[in-house]
Amino acid sequence: MKYMMYIAALVSSLSAFAQQGRLYLSTSDTQIKTGSTFYVDVMAENLPEVYGVQLTLNYDAKSITFVDQDSKAKGEQLEQGNFLDEKHLYTLRNQADSKTGQIQYIASQVAPAKNAAGNGRLARLYFSAPDNATQAKIAITLAEFGTRSGEKYTYTPQTPLSVSFANNYQVQAKPGTGFPTWAYGLAAVLLVIPGIFLLRRRPAAKHAEQSV
């Protein structure tokens, strides 16, 4: 209960503070193969010292489907990022509404966590694109941060992230790999081909030695 009161103090009754740094949406590829799953990251850059966050995002619920990241929890959840201290984090709200296309996330660090600042990932959203999808937009509509001393940073929503879909596009690489699925097969082929040529050349070399 005390955590809920603390977070409420951070995100609702705070004095406004000058905005520093920025928030933005990022993904490894905005051209996604239809029928596949893709992700979008909520990123922070050059943020001052903060302790809690309140985010509201919107997506085209008629075009793409939000993919739940915590089957044990009620409702549909986003994946929390690493900007805030994950070991000392209290989540007040983490909920996606598949009908309206709205995602709400409210969380705060708790003692003994130190202030968070600088760059990092606040959250990761997963979506699936149906076979008839052509394009979709994801946007941050509200972004507020609370400091440990009671100030508030409010960030102006940025231009929505536009994603397009087609059957001939590639499946997006998994986070952290930077390598699309099809590339693994190509790499395997490129590794095998030199071995085949070496096997073919060895008998010829042996025959040459015998003739000498």
Side-chain angles (χ1 to χ4, degrees):
M1 184 65 182
K2 65 178 181 180
Y3 290 156
M4 294 178 66
M5 294 175 64
Y6 182 71
I7 295 174
L10 282 172
V11 298
S12 62
S13 301
L14 304 173
S15 58
F17 216 62
Q19 178 177 316
Q20 298 180 30
R22 71 181 183 110
L23 294 184
Y24 63 97
L25 296 175
S26 176
T27 187
S28 63
D29 196 341
T30 57
Q31 295 184 326
I32 310 296
K33 183 178 180 63
T34 51
S36 66
T37 299
F38 66 100
Y39 72 92
V40 174
D41 287 335
V42 183
M43 302 297 296
E45 183 179 90
N46 296 326
L47 255 62
E49 292 187 344
V50 297
Y51 215 67
V53 61
Q54 177 175 355
L55 292 174
T56 301
L57 303 103
N58 280 90
Y59 65 95
D60 293 335
K62 294 182 178 179
S63 301
I64 55 178
T65 302
F66 184 83
V67 179
D68 181 31
Q69 294 305 298
D70 188 354
S71 58
K72 296 180 180 179
K74 184 179 179 180
E76 298 175 327
Q77 322 287 311
L78 58 74
E79 179 185 297
Q80 297 182 137
N82 55 13
F83 179 75
L84 298 176
D85 187 344
E86 297 175 82
K87 293 182 179 180
H88 303 96
L89 189 66
Y90 182 81
T91 303
L92 181 63
R93 187 167 181 80
N94 183 353
Q95 190 74 51
D97 188 329
S98 58
K99 293 182 179 180
T100 63
Q102 186 179 80
I103 305 168
Q104 292 186 321
Y105 178 60
I106 305 174
S108 175
Q109 297 181 148
V110 294
K114 297 180 180 179
N115 291 323
N119 307 330
R121 176 169 52 85
L122 285 164
R124 176 167 287 158
L125 320 173
Y126 283 88
F127 301 94
S128 62
D131 293 336
N132 61 348
T134 56
Q135 59 183 4
K137 290 184 178 181
I138 303 99
I140 301 172
T141 56
L142 173 68
E144 292 182 347
F145 290 86
T147 70
R148 203 168 188 174
S149 56
E151 291 85 15
K152 179 174 69 174
Y153 294 89
T154 300
Y155 288 80
T156 304
Q158 301 293 314
T159 304
L161 177 69
S162 296
V163 183
S164 60
F165 309 95
N167 190 51
N168 61 333
Y169 291 158
Q170 301 295 337
V171 175
Q172 187 189 54
K174 292 182 179 181
T177 63
F179 220 47
T181 304
W182 60 267
Y184 287 102
L186 178 60
V189 171
L190 292 176
L191 288 171
V192 169
I193 288 176
I196 294 175
F197 278 108
L198 286 172
L199 289 173
R200 289 182 176 179
R201 291 180 62 184
R202 283 178 180 175
K206 185 176 181 181
H207 178 73
E209 291 175 359
Q210 290 177 349
S211 61
V212 174

